[in-house]
Amino acid sequence: MLKKLKKIFLYAILIIVVAKCFQIVFFNKAMPTSGEDEKGIAVYKKFNYGDYTTIKLLHTETGEVEELPLDIYLYGVVSAEMPASFEDEALKAQAVVARTYTIYKIRNGSKHVDVGADICDNSLCCQAWISKENRLARWEENSRDVNWAKIENSVNSTIGNVVLYNGEPINSFFHSNSGGTTESSLNVWGGDYPYLQVVATNGEDAYTSYKSEVNLSKDELIQKMHDKYENFEIDFSSEEAIKILENTESGRVKTLKVGNTNISGVDARNIFELKSTKFTVELKDENIKFSVLGYGHGVGLSQCGSDSLAKDGKDYKEIIKYYYKDVEISE
């Protein structure tokens, strides 16, 4: 009887451990909780848009943290992230995606929690933001009123709209131009989000951000590689001195061989200052030429693609659901 009770006790402990592990794997511990149940397991707070009426914005240049109404903050994001000349429906899609991205960051743990901020104004870290005063100053005087009215409308006409997957705000990444095909998040950061998959987009080649080139001398390439890899060596006389070893499903470079070093496409983009990882490379005479398609990491919504879809008659909800799979949009 005692052995049987011990076995039952061990099974009970095992069940509790498995339940805790399930929590850790399938829920971000930074998500808001409403306490614990009678077994001590965290109960996660259901998403409610009304909980996110204000945000704390870190101004990276000054270190100041400013509290703003969420939708007023979004005026600055949309006007910084997307040209006001884009179609109204593309601007609305950007507003909803930026709102979703902001709320996701708050719910899942801000990088700037140590300074009391929810998000910062730097696009290299979070998403871009610009004050109304500075934005207006950068536009031609005769277009300021029209442009700002479009920005306000994109936010005001979509208030309450948040992109959800299984009832939760998504990590709604976006970028400038996908070069014709977006990328899976798995190939960029390693996080496999089911709603961030490969999507083909037509019309992006009509934008200046679609195509670019970077030309380096042999010495410049060697220096850039040495800055990161001390033991780097290269024999330019070899036919395989620089070679793409592997591409992702979307046609981006996954692995690039440079001399005696294999690097990821993401590292190549950073080292050689390329606009995206969707590139070909050619060694010719004394120069190395990178021919690049697209601008940005390629994950999620393409801003140029959104504008192209809007020109084809798609509304903002159709645009969002085109780029993020199996999502819903809250009202």
Side-chain angles (χ1 to χ4, degrees):
M1 183 66 180
L2 185 58
K3 286 184 179 180
K4 189 174 181 180
L5 287 173
K6 284 183 177 179
K7 188 175 290 187
I8 293 171
F9 177 77
L10 289 173
Y11 280 139
I13 293 294
L14 181 60
I15 290 169
I16 292 172
V17 170
V18 169
K20 287 287 187 181
C21 290
F22 183 91
Q23 274 188 296
I24 293 169
V25 172
F26 290 97
F27 295 95
N28 188 317
K29 291 190 289 183
M31 283 177 61
T33 64
S34 56
E36 297 181 345
D37 64 13
E38 65 278 5
K39 296 180 180 178
I41 296 175
V43 177
Y44 291 89
K45 189 175 180 181
K46 186 178 179 181
F47 169 67
N48 176 22
Y49 180 71
D51 292 337
Y52 303 94
T53 56
T54 62
I55 66 103
K56 294 182 176 68
L57 172 65
L58 170 64
H59 297 286
T60 51
E61 286 191 3
T62 65
E64 174 193 359
V65 176
E66 178 183 10
E67 186 166 330
L68 291 167
L70 171 63
D71 293 301
I72 299 298
Y73 157 73
L74 290 175
Y75 295 160
V77 175
V78 177
S79 65
E81 287 284 4
M82 181 174 277
S85 60
F86 276 20
E87 296 290 319
D88 287 340
E89 295 303 310
L91 288 163
K92 290 177 187 178
Q94 178 67 67
V96 175
V97 167
R99 181 183 293 113
T100 304
Y101 182 86
T102 304
I103 293 174
Y104 179 91
K105 292 300 179 187
I106 296 172
R107 284 180 71 78
N108 290 273
S110 168
K111 298 177 184 177
H112 307 292
V113 66
D114 57 327
V115 295
D118 298 316
I119 202 162
C120 80
D121 59 9
N122 187 339
S123 63
L124 297 177
C125 178
C126 295
Q127 59 187 356
W129 178 90
I130 188 172
S131 68
K132 180 179 179 180
E133 179 184 13
N134 289 338
R135 178 70 276 177
L136 293 177
R138 297 183 189 184
W139 282 329
E140 295 292 332
E141 187 173 357
N142 61 0
S143 64
R144 289 172 186 167
D145 289 344
V146 172
N147 286 350
W148 192 254
K150 288 181 70 176
I151 298 299
E152 286 190 336
N153 178 64
S154 72
V155 175
N156 295 345
S157 62
T158 63
I159 286 177
N161 288 172
V162 178
V163 189
L164 306 176
Y165 182 83
N166 287 343
E168 277 294 317
I170 70 169
N171 200 357
S172 53
F173 291 110
F174 56 90
H175 59 281
S176 175
N177 192 309
S178 76
T181 313
T182 68
E183 180 60 283
S184 164
S185 60
L186 187 63
N187 291 323
V188 180
W189 303 291
D192 189 11
Y193 298 90
Y195 46 82
L196 294 174
Q197 301 301 323
V198 176
V199 174
T201 304
N202 294 322
E204 289 182 303
D205 55 349
Y207 299 81
T208 57
S209 56
Y210 178 74
K211 187 182 292 186
S212 60
E213 285 184 7
V214 171
N215 290 281
L216 299 174
S217 69
K218 291 177 179 178
D219 287 342
E220 286 173 329
L221 181 136
I222 290 170
Q223 184 58 57
K224 287 178 180 293
M225 287 295 292
H226 268 307
D227 287 345
K228 185 160 185 182
Y229 302 100
E230 291 182 5
N231 298 321
F232 172 73
E233 293 179 358
I234 188 168
D235 176 10
F236 284 109
S237 66
S238 169
E239 291 183 359
E240 296 192 347
I242 304 176
K243 182 181 180 182
I244 295 172
L245 299 180
E246 187 179 7
N247 288 100
T248 68
E249 179 188 347
S250 72
R252 288 169 172 79
V253 174
K254 189 169 186 178
T255 310
L256 177 70
K257 176 183 179 294
V258 187
N260 65 346
T261 307
N262 291 352
I263 62 176
S264 70
V266 174
D267 280 343
R269 180 191 174 197
N270 294 330
I271 293 169
F272 305 125
E273 300 177 75
L274 311 178
K275 288 187 175 180
S276 88
T277 59
K278 198 169 191 176
F279 63 83
T280 58
V281 58
E282 179 184 5
L283 177 57
K284 190 173 183 180
D285 299 326
E286 293 301 310
N287 294 307
I288 299 91
K289 176 182 174 182
F290 294 90
S291 299
V292 187
L293 292 181
Y295 195 166
H297 49 63
V299 178
L301 177 138
S302 163
Q303 294 167 324
C304 292
S306 296
D307 192 49
S308 179
L309 288 170
K311 287 176 179 176
D312 287 340
K314 302 295 185 185
D315 67 29
Y316 74 97
K317 291 184 178 180
E318 291 175 307
I319 292 169
I320 289 169
K321 290 184 177 182
Y322 182 83
Y323 283 108
Y324 306 105
K325 295 304 178 185
D326 301 320
V327 300
E328 298 298 329
I329 301 172
S330 67
E331 295 297 335

